[in-house]
Amino acid sequence: LCSLIRYLADSLNRTVVIASHNLNFLFSCCDSYIALKNGKVADLGSVTQVEEKMLIELFDQIIRVQRNIDTANPEVLPGYHV
């Protein structure tokens, strides 16, 4: 699915908006993000700049993040799902 989304966005030169709580999917498919909390923008920027502290504040729970070696994108560690 991620490959298809990237292909369509790149080949058609379009912006694709995805709304999801599956952070690892979003981090692997997206270049940038807008995080909402209570209907208001809580954070936005490049996916490579996502910080663990922001996710903890956003979801009000412990979240552990590591960086993907190949992409530098964040990955939520197993056992710390939102």
Side-chain angles (χ1 to χ4, degrees), residues 5-77:
I5 292 168
R6 296 292 317 187
Y7 171 77
L8 292 173
D10 295 341
S11 66
L12 298 175
N13 195 30
R14 299 283 189 227
T15 298
V16 176
V17 177
I18 303 170
S20 176
H21 288 153
N22 185 334
L23 298 180
N24 287 333
F25 173 75
L26 294 172
F27 295 154
S28 68
C29 288
C30 302
D31 298 321
S32 57
Y33 71 95
I34 299 174
L36 303 176
K37 183 168 185 169
N38 299 323
K40 296 182 180 173
V41 175
D43 197 33
L44 60 106
S46 169
V47 168
T48 60
Q49 302 301 314
V50 169
E51 296 291 332
E52 186 175 278
K53 180 181 177 197
M54 182 277 295
L55 294 175
I56 291 170
E57 291 173 3
L58 182 66
F59 291 103
D60 294 322
Q61 57 183 294
I62 297 172
I63 298 173
R64 295 289 176 244
V65 175
Q66 68 182 11
R67 296 285 165 186
N68 180 295
I69 292 173
D70 297 322
T71 66
N73 289 353
E75 295 176 336
V76 175
L77 297 174

